[in-house]
Amino acid sequence: MDPSQLLKGVLDLAVLAVLRDADGYGYDVLRRLRAAGLEDVADASVYGTLRRLFAAGALTSYVMPSEEGPHRKYYGLNKTGLDLLAQSTKTWNHFADTMSVLLLEEEAA
């Protein structure tokens, strides 16, 4: 099974979870996702997800000066984002539990 196909369905949830811990700019979010084990996540996918979640009203953004280069646009969760994270986490847990039961039944057969 291609992990990148699975990732497409849960990238919003993964980005929201990363931003729950701390605000971050695009590359920082990408680095944190990869450090968590999502090595196959593509740069463009993360930047697109951040823009889409921001347009949907789930994120706040602000610009911070950087001593290492151009200013960085940071993203953080707002109330809508926290609510979306809570609902998506519930959906994910139900889905994962269901798949676990199905796969155990397959192994037992």
Side-chain angles (χ1 to χ4, degrees):
M1 176 175 281
D2 182 359
S4 66
Q5 294 301 314
L6 292 172
L7 189 56
K8 285 181 182 178
V10 295
L11 188 54
D12 285 13
L13 178 57
V15 167
L16 290 169
V18 164
L19 291 174
R20 175 194 53 211
D21 299 331
D23 294 356
Y25 54 93
Y27 183 72
D28 176 55
V29 171
L30 178 66
R31 182 184 51 77
R32 288 157 57 189
L33 288 169
R34 288 180 176 162
L38 301 176
E39 295 92 5
D40 293 333
V41 67
D43 299 23
S45 296
V46 171
Y47 289 107
T49 298
L50 287 168
R51 284 191 299 272
R52 190 168 32 74
L53 288 171
F54 179 75
L59 303 179
T60 60
S61 74
Y62 53 93
V63 176
M64 295 285 293
S66 171
E67 295 178 9
E68 301 169 6
H71 297 338
R72 293 179 172 154
K73 187 173 185 177
Y74 279 74
Y75 294 93
L77 294 184
N78 57 21
K79 172 80 169 88
T80 301
L82 287 168
D83 291 345
L84 180 59
L85 175 60
Q87 182 59 45
S88 296
T89 298
K90 185 176 177 181
T91 301
W92 170 257
N93 286 335
H94 175 72
F95 178 79
D97 290 346
T98 301
M99 287 303 299
S100 293
V101 169
L102 285 172
L103 294 173
L104 284 175
E105 289 174 358
E106 178 68 26
E107 288 178 9

